[in-house]
């Protein structure tokens, strides 16, 4: 990390005095170059790695300010100290604009010069250390990315990494696999943004967390998974706090598969084993799966009493009791260490067969009850974690329990929807809200409402709201803006437009006509 200085002054005696009079080695400068004019200085700067420029300002063949401007135009990483006989404000201002480090007036004692240059050397070395650290960090990140994600590598590549100190086959490290699970209704965030968040939150957390291990790299495996490499010991006791921190930031469920320590030379094989665990292991409530606690399970062929539960569900009063039994069964499997992804897949298949039979006995098509996209979201996630399976069970039984309480003849469903609309004009009356109220799918209630009434749900809602608005305008003194809010419109302009389209006049004009005609 040698430091080189270039002294530029047209006075050869000044240059010679500085070159011989300063204790260069004492202040950390190993190489001293000299020039007597700007042209010589430019030639040296083009050929040698100069770190500090110590220059006079006024010289016959070009000024030191022009020299620094030339340096800045080429983005040379050079610090500059001006040494001048003139205390002109314009010189000092230009020097500041060109980011000069210091501006000294002649004569300057050797001790004063040494103090200024020593501080500059310390600053340069500090910045170099930061840059070298960042460069090494990035090199290690690129190494881990190649080492973990590629199936084969050139032996010479590994040897070069070893010689550069990036790879040490005997050094022990720890590999973790992090996975994110977006919620059923969450929109997919840009994967690049997800990676930015995961990498930055992870680096910042483990940089400040004293009880955690030292993070080596964060490597994206795919859009929803990352490898985290640590020194031996892994995340330490901070793993739960880290997972919760990342969950809060992403607003998504996070699961971490925690590997064992191993030499760097074995890390590629450990990666394969961790991926296998991810395919089989089902995270529980804490979102953690530890390799040290995971063994290939000899899972018993346990079958739930589906026929018994199906018979119990025929009685509407026991539907929720069956839900409790199903949840207790899957929780008991978990506590007995009998839950794997394949076990959950089989459980889900058998459960849905029972539900299909149950709805068939209720003379209901499954498509009438569940919205395709929402159902698919719960269904796909149900085998990922234990909480996801429990959420899927509750989703299914919420629908079943709601349907048991209702008379689902088509005309009665439509009548309930109409009454609900008329009684809740001020509230949200979206398809989703209405479908939830009658425990049927959005597509089904839309088709049913249209076939029964001859009008769409949005048109019926708008008509009811406009009729109610007319009633308020005829029989109350409420402001029009308040009436808009009372019938469910937060946007006054949109309310006025809708009212005009419906009646042929604005709310104000309608009220004026009613008052003119005696309030009738």
């Amino acid at each position: 990390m040698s430091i080189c200085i270039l002294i530029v002054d047209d006075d050869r005696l000044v240059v010679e005095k500085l070159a011989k009079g300063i204790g260069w080695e004492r202040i950390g400068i190993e190489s001293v170059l000299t020039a007597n004019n700007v042209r010589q200085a430019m030639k040296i700067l083009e050929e040698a790695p100069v770190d500090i420029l110590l220059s006079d300002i006024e010289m016959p063949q070009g000024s030191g300010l022009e020299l620094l401007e030339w340096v800045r135009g080429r983005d040379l990483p050079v610090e500059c100290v001006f040494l001048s006989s003139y205390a002109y404000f314009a010189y000092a201002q230009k020097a500041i604009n060109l980011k000069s480090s210091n501006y000294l007036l002649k004569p300057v004692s050797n001790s004063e010069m040494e103090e200024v240059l020593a501080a500059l050397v310390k600053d340069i070395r500090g910045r170099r250390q930061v840059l070298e650290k960042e460069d090494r960090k990035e090199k290690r990140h690129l190494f881990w990315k190649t080492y973990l994600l590629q199936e084969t590598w050139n032996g010479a590549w590994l040897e070069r990494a070893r010689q550069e100190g990036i790879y040490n086959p005997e050094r022990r490290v720890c590999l973790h696999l992090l996975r994110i699970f977006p919620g059923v209704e969450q929109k997919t965030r840009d994967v690049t943004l997800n990676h930015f968040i995961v990498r930055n939150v992870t680096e910042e957390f483990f940089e400040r967390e004293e009880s955690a291990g030292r993070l080596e790299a964060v490597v994206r495996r795919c859009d929803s998974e990352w490898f985290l490499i640590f020194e031996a010991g892994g995340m330490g006791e901070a793993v739960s706090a880290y997972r919760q921190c990342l969950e809060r930031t992403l607003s998504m469920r996070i699961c971490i598969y925690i590997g064992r320590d191993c030499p760097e030379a074995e890390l590629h094989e450990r990666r394969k084993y961790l991926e296998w665990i991810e395919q089989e292991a089902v995270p529980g409530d804490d979102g953690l799966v530890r390799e040290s606690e995971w063994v290939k399970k000899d899972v018993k062929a346990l079958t739930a009493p589906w026929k018994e539960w199906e018979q119990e569900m025929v009685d509407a009063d026991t539907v929720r009791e069956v839900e409790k039994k199903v949840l207790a069964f899957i929780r008991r499997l978990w506590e007995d260490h009998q839950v794997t992804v394949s076990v959950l897949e089989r459980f889900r298949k058998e459960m849905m067969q029972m539900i299909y039979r149950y709805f068939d006995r209720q003379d209901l098509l499954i498509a009438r009850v569940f919205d395709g996209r929402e159902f698919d979201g719960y269904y796909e996630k149900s085998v990922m974690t234990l909480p996801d399976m429990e959420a899927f069970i509750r989703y299914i039984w919420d629908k079943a329990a709601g349907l048991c309480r209702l008379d689902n003849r088509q005309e009665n469903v439509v009548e309930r929807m109409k009454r609900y609309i008329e009684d809740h004009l001020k509230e949200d009356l979206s398809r989703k809200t209405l479908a939830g109220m009658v425990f049927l799918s959005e597509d089904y209630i839309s088709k049913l409402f249209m076939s029964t009434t001859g009008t769409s749900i949005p048109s019926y809602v708008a008509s009811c709201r406009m009729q109610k608005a007319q009633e308020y305008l005829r029989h109350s003194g409420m402001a029009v803006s308040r009436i808009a809010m009372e019938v469910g419109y937060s946007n006054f302009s949109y309310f006025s437009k809708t009212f005009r389209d419906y009646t042929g006049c604005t709310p104000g004009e309608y009220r004026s006509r009613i008052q003119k005609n005696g309030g009738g």
Side-chain angles (χ1 to χ4, degrees):
M1 197 182 287
S2 63
I3 304 290
C4 175
I5 188 169
L6 172 61
I7 304 171
V8 185
D9 199 307
D10 62 316
D11 190 332
R12 294 178 183 273
L13 291 176
V14 171
V15 172
E16 185 177 338
K17 179 184 176 184
L18 286 170
K20 293 181 178 180
I22 302 294
W24 300 108
E25 291 186 6
R26 184 169 62 253
I27 62 175
I29 294 177
E30 289 82 5
S31 178
V32 180
L33 304 176
T34 62
N36 296 120
N37 56 58
V38 170
R39 282 202 313 275
Q40 286 180 5
M42 289 178 178
K43 192 168 191 285
I44 292 171
L45 286 162
E46 287 176 334
E47 297 173 352
V50 173
D51 301 292
I52 301 173
L53 176 64
L54 178 59
S55 177
D56 190 11
I57 289 185
E58 287 200 342
M59 294 179 284
Q61 299 180 31
S63 76
L65 292 170
E66 292 171 346
L67 175 60
L68 182 56
E69 194 167 10
W70 178 88
V71 167
R72 296 290 179 251
R74 283 157 180 74
D75 289 326
L76 298 177
V78 177
E79 297 293 336
C80 180
V81 175
F82 282 118
L83 189 60
S84 176
S85 301
Y86 305 98
Y88 294 157
F89 174 76
Y91 283 176
Q93 187 178 43
K94 184 68 178 290
I96 291 171
N97 291 340
L98 291 170
K99 295 183 173 57
S100 168
S101 299
N102 219 316
Y103 188 102
L104 303 175
L105 291 175
K106 298 176 182 177
V108 179
S109 68
N110 287 348
S111 60
E112 184 182 356
M113 180 63 73
E114 287 182 7
E115 184 179 345
V116 169
L117 294 177
L120 201 50
V121 168
K122 182 179 179 181
D123 185 50
I124 291 170
R125 286 189 167 156
R127 289 203 304 275
R128 279 189 185 176
Q129 287 175 347
V130 171
L131 290 172
E132 287 176 6
K133 183 179 179 181
E134 288 297 317
D135 183 56
R136 181 176 177 79
K137 177 182 173 183
E138 192 58 32
K139 283 183 178 179
R140 280 189 69 79
H141 177 266
L142 292 173
F143 167 79
W144 288 121
K145 185 176 180 180
T146 303
Y147 187 51
L148 286 171
L149 302 185
Q150 289 187 194
E151 290 302 318
T152 58
W153 335 270
N154 186 307
W157 173 76
L158 271 180
E159 179 57 26
R160 280 197 305 274
R162 188 191 66 78
Q163 291 176 358
E164 293 176 7
I166 296 173
Y167 169 66
N168 181 346
E170 297 179 0
R171 192 172 75 108
R172 297 187 72 80
V173 290
C174 188
L175 181 68
H176 302 324
L177 177 59
L178 182 145
R179 184 176 179 185
I180 63 175
F181 297 90
V184 173
E185 297 183 0
Q186 281 180 309
K187 294 181 179 178
T188 303
R189 186 189 281 118
D190 182 273
V191 294
T192 303
L193 177 58
N194 273 344
H195 177 60
F196 176 82
I197 293 172
V198 169
R199 183 169 180 177
N200 279 272
V201 169
T202 303
E203 289 177 349
E204 289 176 9
F205 181 90
F206 288 102
E207 190 173 303
R208 69 172 185 266
E209 188 62 42
E210 294 181 0
S211 63
R214 191 169 77 84
L215 178 69
E216 287 284 325
V218 178
V219 177
R220 184 169 71 184
R221 180 180 180 236
C222 63
D223 291 350
S224 60
E225 297 178 8
W226 288 261
F227 287 119
L228 310 180
I229 303 103
F230 287 82
E231 284 187 337
M235 296 185 182
E237 298 176 0
V239 59
S240 294
Y242 161 68
R243 191 188 72 84
Q244 292 168 9
C245 172
L246 196 55
E247 273 195 345
R248 288 193 299 271
T249 307
L250 287 169
S251 298
M252 297 181 191
R253 182 177 308 208
I254 305 294
C255 291
I256 303 174
Y257 303 83
I258 303 169
R260 290 172 169 167
D261 290 358
C262 69
E264 287 186 10
E266 298 177 12
L267 199 60
H268 195 261
E269 291 304 313
R270 303 310 298 170
R271 182 214 80 183
K272 294 179 181 178
Y273 189 68
L274 208 57
E275 289 172 340
W276 174 79
I277 290 177
E278 181 211 9
Q279 293 300 312
E280 282 296 311
V282 177
D285 299 319
D286 65 356
L288 304 176
V289 176
R290 290 177 170 84
E291 181 185 344
S292 59
E293 299 172 1
W294 175 263
V295 291
K296 188 169 176 58
K297 292 179 170 51
D298 182 18
V299 179
K300 302 172 188 176
L302 297 175
T303 302
W306 298 113
K307 289 186 178 179
E308 178 185 326
W309 290 343
E310 181 184 341
Q311 190 60 40
E312 289 181 34
M313 286 182 67
V314 175
D315 182 353
D317 293 335
T318 62
V319 169
R320 285 297 187 186
E321 290 302 314
V322 175
E323 177 189 16
K324 292 177 184 177
K325 291 179 180 180
V326 176
L327 288 168
F329 181 86
I330 199 67
R331 177 62 67 166
R332 195 160 55 248
L333 283 184
W334 169 263
E335 292 169 352
D336 291 342
H337 306 290
Q338 292 295 306
V339 173
T340 64
V341 171
S342 54
V343 166
L344 286 187
E345 288 174 341
R346 186 174 73 246
F347 179 88
R348 179 180 63 183
K349 178 182 177 182
E350 293 171 355
M351 181 178 73
M352 289 312 301
Q353 286 173 341
M354 186 197 78
I355 292 297
Y356 292 147
R357 291 194 301 269
Y358 170 73
F359 281 135
D360 186 56
R361 292 173 71 168
Q362 302 295 315
D363 198 27
L364 279 170
L365 294 175
I366 200 79
R368 294 180 181 179
V369 181
F370 299 107
D371 287 299
R373 184 176 299 178
E374 184 181 50
F375 176 85
D376 289 345
Y378 278 104
Y379 183 87
E380 291 171 7
K381 284 175 62 63
S382 62
V383 297
M384 294 179 178
T385 71
L386 181 66
D388 284 320
M389 175 55 77
E390 291 173 330
F392 182 52
I393 292 169
R394 293 188 183 97
Y395 168 71
I396 295 293
W397 259 266
D398 280 346
K399 293 284 189 178
L403 287 167
C404 284
R405 297 194 301 269
L406 301 173
D407 179 352
N408 281 290
R409 286 175 297 180
Q410 293 186 358
E411 61 273 17
N412 287 335
V413 169
V414 172
E415 285 304 313
R416 282 198 306 275
M417 290 172 62
K418 289 168 71 174
R419 285 198 302 273
Y420 185 88
I421 290 168
E422 291 161 7
D423 293 342
H424 298 82
L425 291 174
K426 191 176 180 179
E427 301 170 17
D428 171 41
L429 292 173
S430 64
R431 283 199 329 165
K432 184 177 181 66
T433 298
L434 295 172
M437 188 269 298
V438 294
F439 302 98
L440 295 168
S441 74
E442 293 180 37
D443 288 341
Y444 178 64
I445 64 163
S446 294
K447 293 173 184 175
L448 178 61
F449 198 91
M450 174 63 82
S451 64
T452 305
T453 67
T455 187
S456 68
I457 291 174
S459 294
Y460 184 81
V461 170
S463 175
C464 289
R465 283 173 165 162
M466 291 302 101
Q467 290 174 31
K468 190 66 175 177
Q470 287 176 296
E471 184 181 328
Y472 280 133
L473 289 166
R474 285 196 302 269
H475 303 300
S476 81
M478 279 193 293
V480 175
S481 58
R482 171 71 185 281
I483 292 173
M485 298 291 289
E486 289 296 319
V487 297
Y489 290 89
S490 58
N491 186 315
F492 177 70
S493 297
Y494 183 63
F495 166 72
S496 295
K497 179 182 182 304
T498 305
F499 190 91
R500 186 171 62 250
D501 291 342
Y502 186 79
T503 64
C505 61
T506 66
E509 291 170 344
Y510 181 85
R511 174 172 271 172
S512 296
R513 291 178 187 176
I514 293 298
Q515 292 173 347
K516 185 176 180 180
N517 294 328

